[in-house]
Amino acid sequence: MTMADWTLLLDGADLPDRALIGGKAWSVARMAALGLDVPPAFVITTRACLAYLERGEMPEGLEAEIAAGLDWLQRRTGRSFGAGAKRLLLSIRSGAAISMPGMMDTVLNLGIDDDGEAALAAETGLPAFARDTHRRFLELYSSIVLRQPVELEAAESPAQWRAAIGEVPGAVHDQLLGAVRAVFDSWNTRRARRYREHNNIPHDMGTAVTVQAMVFGNLDDLSGTGVLFSRNPLQGDPAPYGEYLPRAQGEDVVSGKFTPLSLGAMQAHVPDAHAALLAASDMLERENGDVQDIEFTVQSGRLYLLQSRSAKRAPEAAVRIAVDMVGEGRIDAATALSRVSAEQVSTLLLPRLAPNAAEGAQVVAQGEGACPGVATGVLVADSDEAERRAAAGEAVILVRATTSPDDVHGMIAARAVVTEQGGSTSHAAVVSRALGRPCVVGTGSGALVLAGQVVTVDGASGKVFAGALATQVPREDEDERLSRLIGWARERCPIEVLRPEDAASADAVDVDLLLAEGTHEQLASALAGHAAARGSGLANAEIARIARRAGITRMITEPVLPALLVALED
C-alpha cells in the first residue's frame, strides 16, 4: 500500500484505520488480505471529504492522487480508462466509518461512452450487454450527479438518452470527478443527516469514496448479483440467508424493483460460485466475530466479493445471535451485551398478536415478513405526510411501492413499513431492521390503494390485517435468551435495577408521576440529588438515560433488561 495525503491503495498489504477509509473500503482491504477474490480498488479518504465540505472545492493535490490511483488500477487490471480496446469501468461508492446502508450515493459503470460501448461489445461479443451497461451508467449519473432521476427506454439510442438527461461531461475523467463530488455531497443530504441523528452518529465523520474496477453481474447467463447474510437477520437462525438476482447489478437488488431468487436457485444456477460464497461467509464471520452482510457479484460463473460488514439485524435476531455466539465461543458475554441495544429489547417486549386474534380477521395484503413485530396504525402513502402525522401523535404505517433513501424520515416516523415490491434484502427491509420497525415487503400491487385504512401489520407472518387486532405483552423472564442477557448484565451493571416485587420503593422517586406532571427536561432536574427511582417509565431507554445522567443508582421497574443495558452504556 502506498500512502498519500488523500488516497490509499486497497491492495491488502495493510489495514488502515476504519475512520479514515470508511467501512466499505476497510472491508475491501480486509478481504484482499484474506486472499478472497475482490476487484482491485483505491479509496479517497474521509479526510479528503471533510476538507472538500469545509472548503467547497476539491482539496489541493486530490485530483493528482486520483489520477495516480487510476494508473495503478489500469496496471492491475490490464485495462484502460477512457481509451483502448479493453475498457476499465469503475464503481464509485460511498462508505462511512459507521455503516449507513442506503443513505449515500453510488455511481456504477463509470468510464463508458459511445466508443467504450463499442469496445465492450467487441471484447465480449455481447452488444446487448454493452448497451445495457451504457444505459445503466447514464441513469445513475443523471440521478446521482445531475440530480435528475430518470428511467431510460432500453430500446432508444445513447444519443436519445443523452438528449433526455441533459449535460453529461464528454470526458470520462471529468465524469469521475463529478461522481466523487456527488458522493462527498451525499454526506449532507437530508436523508443522511436524519439517519445519523436517529442513530446518534456524529455529523463530522465524513464519507470515504471507494473507486473500484467494475465486475458485471449483467454480463451473461452465468452472471448475477446478490446479498448474503452469514445468519438470518430476521430471527437469527444460524443458517446463511440471502438472495440472488441473475443478469443484474447490485442496484437492482437494493432498489426493490425486482424480486430476487433464493440461495437455492443460485446453487442450482452457479454451483461453484455458491460454494465459494458460503466458504467466504464462514471465513468472514469467524475473522470479524460478528454476523456478516456480504455483497457479491458473479461474472461468468466466478464469484467476486464487493463488501462485507456487520449485518443490521432485527431485534429478535440481535438477541439470538448474541447469545448463540457466546455459546459457540465466538464472543464473550460482555461483547454480546454490547450488541443488543435497550431499544431492541424494548421492541421485543412490545405487544404481539394475542392467541387467536388473527382468526377470522381480514387479510388486506400479504407479502414477505422482513422484520418481525406487530404494529397498528393508519396507512399513509407519503413519507412527508407520515412524518407530519406521527409528529402530531398519530400512529401511522408507511406504505410505498418501494422505498428509497428519500423515504427514511417517513420510515423513522412510522410504526411499521409495507411495500408492494422488493424482497428481504431490499432497501425497505434493510432499513426497517436497522430501525427495529415491523416490515412487510413484496405484497404486490394493491397495498397503496389501502391508504387511509387502519390496519395491523404482522412483520413475522408478512400479513396486513384490516383494523386493530388484540395483542398481548410478552414477559422477559419467560424468554430463555433474554434471561441469560439479564444474568450477564447483572454481573456487570454498576447500579441496581430491580423488579418492584424485589425492592422496597418507599424511598424512591416516582418517575411515572413526574412524567405525568412535567416534561423530560423537567424530569432531569426533579431527579437530581436522589439515589433511587421507580416506575414503568424507567423501562423506556430514553427515560432510563435521563435518570442515569441525573445520578440515579437504584432503578425499580419492569421489564429490567432495557434499564440494565442503559446502565452498561456508561
Side-chain angles (χ1 to χ4, degrees):
M1 174 180 298
T2 59
M3 193 147 186
D5 290 335
W6 309 114
T7 64
L8 290 170
L9 304 181
L10 303 175
D11 56 6
D14 198 1
L15 201 56
D17 184 0
R18 186 191 296 264
L20 181 64
I21 66 171
K24 188 175 279 101
W26 189 92
S27 78
V28 169
R30 175 71 162 161
M31 292 189 291
L34 291 171
L36 296 170
D37 222 343
V38 183
F42 70 92
V43 61
I44 304 168
T45 64
T46 56
R47 187 166 54 207
C49 174
L50 294 174
Y52 168 84
L53 294 176
E54 179 182 353
R55 304 167 191 175
E57 60 184 7
M58 292 288 202
E60 185 177 354
L62 175 57
E63 293 185 22
E65 291 190 27
I66 291 174
L70 279 175
D71 288 343
W72 180 77
L73 281 181
Q74 290 178 128
R75 292 195 299 275
R76 286 289 297 265
T77 61
R79 296 180 171 276
S80 300
F81 183 64
K86 295 181 67 175
R87 292 296 181 102
L88 171 65
L89 303 191
L90 302 172
S91 75
I92 315 300
R93 309 179 76 193
S94 60
I98 299 175
S99 176
M100 297 170 53
M103 293 304 111
M104 291 180 291
D105 289 334
T106 290
V107 177
L108 302 179
N109 306 301
L110 194 145
I112 194 168
D113 52 16
D114 290 350
D115 290 341
E117 179 188 322
L120 196 59
E123 179 187 359
T124 62
L126 299 169
F129 153 72
R131 178 60 57 89
D132 178 57
T133 301
H134 197 171
R135 178 188 59 80
R136 288 171 178 272
F137 163 69
L138 289 174
E139 278 192 350
L140 264 182
Y141 195 89
S142 180
S143 174
I144 302 302
V145 183
L146 305 180
R147 303 295 177 191
Q148 298 172 359
V150 63
E151 289 192 15
L152 301 173
E153 292 293 333
E156 293 183 341
S157 69
Q160 290 173 303
W161 294 337
R162 290 176 189 274
I165 65 178
E167 189 66 25
V168 177
V172 292
H173 289 81
D174 292 338
Q175 294 170 7
L176 172 57
L177 295 178
V180 171
R181 281 191 289 266
V183 174
F184 283 162
D185 289 334
S186 71
W187 176 255
N188 278 330
T189 58
R190 175 191 180 193
R191 68 198 188 217
R193 297 187 69 85
R194 188 73 179 87
Y195 185 90
R196 292 197 295 273
E197 288 161 2
H198 182 77
N199 291 281
N200 297 315
I201 300 173
H203 289 307
D204 60 356
M205 300 173 68
T207 179
V209 184
T210 300
V211 181
Q212 190 167 36
M214 280 291 301
V215 287
F216 300 98
N218 59 328
L219 179 60
D220 55 27
D221 287 339
L222 295 179
S223 301
T225 189
V227 178
L228 176 83
F229 295 91
S230 57
R231 302 186 189 218
N232 187 307
L234 282 74
Q235 292 88 26
D237 186 282
Y241 175 92
E243 293 180 328
Y244 179 70
L245 193 58
R247 299 200 76 136
Q249 294 192 345
E251 294 301 294
D252 298 328
V253 176
V254 298
S255 71
K257 295 178 181 177
F258 303 91
T259 301
L261 305 178
S262 67
L263 284 181
M266 178 188 178
Q267 183 178 22
H269 199 63
V270 282
D272 291 345
H274 178 267
L277 178 62
L278 295 192
S281 170
D282 183 66
M283 173 191 286
L284 289 166
E285 183 179 292
R286 288 181 180 280
E287 291 290 335
N288 294 312
D290 197 7
V291 58
Q292 297 294 292
D293 170 350
I294 301 167
E295 296 180 13
F296 64 91
T297 285
V298 179
Q299 178 176 297
S300 298
R302 180 177 177 180
L303 176 73
Y304 293 91
L305 301 174
L306 306 181
Q307 178 177 218
S308 180
R309 60 187 172 187
S310 292
K312 301 296 184 187
R313 60 210 81 176
E316 181 180 351
V319 169
R320 177 170 179 176
I321 291 168
V323 174
D324 285 0
M325 282 193 161
V326 173
E328 296 164 13
R330 297 196 179 200
I331 59 175
D332 58 24
T335 302
L337 289 167
S338 73
R339 291 184 179 166
V340 180
S341 71
E343 284 80 4
Q344 286 174 321
V345 172
S346 295
T347 299
L348 271 183
L349 297 175
L350 287 174
R352 58 187 63 176
L353 285 180
N356 306 319
E359 287 188 10
Q362 180 187 4
V363 177
V364 294
Q366 181 163 7
E368 182 179 357
C371 186
V374 171
T376 297
V378 61
L379 285 168
V380 175
D382 179 83
S383 291
D384 291 338
E385 181 183 354
E387 185 179 51
R388 185 172 60 253
R389 292 173 68 170
E394 192 172 4
V396 301
I397 309 291
L398 181 65
V399 57
R400 302 280 291 163
T402 181
T403 66
S404 75
D406 291 331
D407 292 306
V408 168
H409 61 296
M411 299 175 74
I412 291 172
R415 298 195 177 185
V417 176
V418 177
T419 66
E420 291 185 334
Q421 303 170 15
S424 61
T425 58
S426 64
H427 176 271
V430 172
V431 175
S432 291
R433 287 195 288 273
L435 297 174
R437 299 287 187 276
C439 180
V440 174
V441 296
T443 64
S445 60
L448 280 170
V449 299
L450 301 173
Q453 294 189 28
V454 173
V455 299
T456 297
V457 176
D458 182 357
S461 69
K463 294 179 179 177
V464 181
F465 299 95
L469 301 188
T471 58
Q472 66 178 18
V473 180
R475 290 184 56 86
E476 60 181 351
D477 56 357
E478 294 176 351
D479 185 293
E480 181 182 351
R481 292 189 176 91
L482 292 180
S483 295
R484 295 194 69 182
L485 289 173
I486 290 171
W488 294 336
R490 287 199 187 286
E491 293 171 2
R492 295 162 175 79
C493 188
I495 68 169
E496 280 189 299
V497 180
L498 304 171
R499 294 193 173 98
E501 63 267 28
D502 298 327
S505 57
D507 60 344
V509 180
D510 190 330
V511 167
D512 294 344
L513 184 60
L514 291 174
L515 287 171
E517 294 174 343
T519 64
H520 289 189
E521 289 75 18
Q522 293 167 327
L523 175 64
S525 58
L527 290 174
H530 294 276
R534 63 181 172 86
S536 59
L538 292 166
N540 179 297
E542 182 183 359
I543 302 302
R545 291 189 182 104
I546 292 173
R548 281 297 292 143
R549 288 195 293 270
I552 294 296
T553 57
R554 193 168 194 249
M555 296 189 196
I556 303 165
T557 188
E558 190 172 20
V560 297
L561 187 52
L564 284 165
L565 291 172
V566 166
L568 289 172
E569 294 173 356
D570 295 348

